């Protein structure tokens, strides 16, 4: 099988100012992969992208100050996602759950305590929609693996159930 063309993945996010030419980016990365005897690394990409004339250059933040800030923000997001809360009640065993969920409200994305977010109709819907999109993206990524075909049938059944719930 051969590559017929290149596209960016659905939902791919890039920094402002990126030249979104998937064809030239894909072809350039393929050239680098061939030059690296088929074993491409992120270091290979970064080394090439340092050059102003590389089609990969605009995908990176070259200000060390801003890059450091962006990296620290990514670390902060990872830290928030890593925290698990242990909920207890008198009549049930303890339950572990992500402490915070991301609420991707337009213009004001933020994190909220999971229980609070899921108890409010608007934020619950935002969380469920994001989870569903992530599940669909995972399904697309692994659609060709027959070992997951039964799981995909369950996902299809869930989709019908979710649509039924939304109509209420």
């Amino acid at each position: 099988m051969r590559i017929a063309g290149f596209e960016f993945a659905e939902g791919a996010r890039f920094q402002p100012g990126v030249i979104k030419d998937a064809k030239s980016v894909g072809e350039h990365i393929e050239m680098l992969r061939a030059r690296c005897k088929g074993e491409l690394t992120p270091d290979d990409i970064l080394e090439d992208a340092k050059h102003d004339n590389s089609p990969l250059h605009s995908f990176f933040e070259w200000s060390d100050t801003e890059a450091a800030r962006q990296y620290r923000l990514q670390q902060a997001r990872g830290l928030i996602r890593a925290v698990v809360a242990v909920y207890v009640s008198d009549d049930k065993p303890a339950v572990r759950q992500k402490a915070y969920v991301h609420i991707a409200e337009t213009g004001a994305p933020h994190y909220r305590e999971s229980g609070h977010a899921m108890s409010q109709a608007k934020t619950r819907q935002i969380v469920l929609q994001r989870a569903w999109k992530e599940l669909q993206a995972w399904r697309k990524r692994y659609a060709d693996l027959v070992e997951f075909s039964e799981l995909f049938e369950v996902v299809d059944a869930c989709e019908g159930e979710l649509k039924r719930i939304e109509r209420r």
Side-chain angles (χ1 to χ4, degrees):
M1 199 176 323
R2 65 176 178 80
I3 296 174
F6 296 96
E7 301 173 349
F8 289 121
E10 187 177 321
R13 294 182 293 182
F14 305 110
Q15 67 181 12
V18 163
I19 301 166
K20 296 178 185 171
D21 181 356
K23 180 181 184 299
S24 68
V25 168
E27 288 172 353
H28 193 76
I29 291 175
E30 259 307 285
M31 181 271 303
L32 291 173
R33 186 189 63 77
R35 187 187 304 159
C36 295
K37 297 179 178 57
E39 297 182 1
L40 187 64
T41 68
D43 281 331
D44 298 327
I45 296 292
L46 190 56
E47 189 58 38
D48 181 84
K50 286 180 184 177
H51 305 286
D52 291 348
N53 62 347
S54 169
L56 311 180
H57 185 79
S58 69
F59 288 84
F60 295 88
E61 176 57 61
W62 296 105
S63 159
D64 287 345
T65 302
E66 181 58 21
R69 180 181 176 281
Q70 290 299 324
Y71 181 71
R72 288 185 187 104
L73 286 172
Q74 189 60 36
Q75 288 177 309
R77 290 181 197 101
L79 179 60
I80 292 168
R81 287 190 307 266
V83 175
V84 172
V86 180
Y87 294 93
V88 295
S89 62
D90 294 335
D91 58 337
K92 295 179 185 172
V95 175
R96 293 170 42 94
Q97 165 181 328
K98 283 174 52 171
Y100 307 100
V101 291
H102 186 253
I103 308 298
E105 287 184 316
T106 307
H110 60 280
Y111 291 85
R112 244 185 232 183
E113 188 270 328
S114 294
H116 181 261
M118 297 308 285
S119 71
Q120 306 294 311
K122 180 181 175 185
T123 53
R124 180 181 185 82
Q125 188 64 28
I126 290 170
V127 171
L128 291 176
Q129 284 175 342
R130 179 179 179 160
W132 184 251
K133 284 173 95 171
E134 288 174 7
L135 179 59
Q136 291 301 317
W138 183 88
R139 181 184 180 164
K140 264 185 172 177
R141 192 173 320 122
Y142 298 108
D144 58 333
L145 300 178
V146 295
E147 291 83 353
F148 291 123
S149 61
E150 289 181 31
L151 178 59
F152 296 150
E153 290 173 18
V154 173
V155 170
D156 290 340
C158 287
E159 181 174 23
E161 180 64 17
L162 284 173
K163 286 181 179 178
R164 188 180 66 73
I165 291 169
E166 284 179 4
R167 287 192 295 266
R168 286 187 199 169

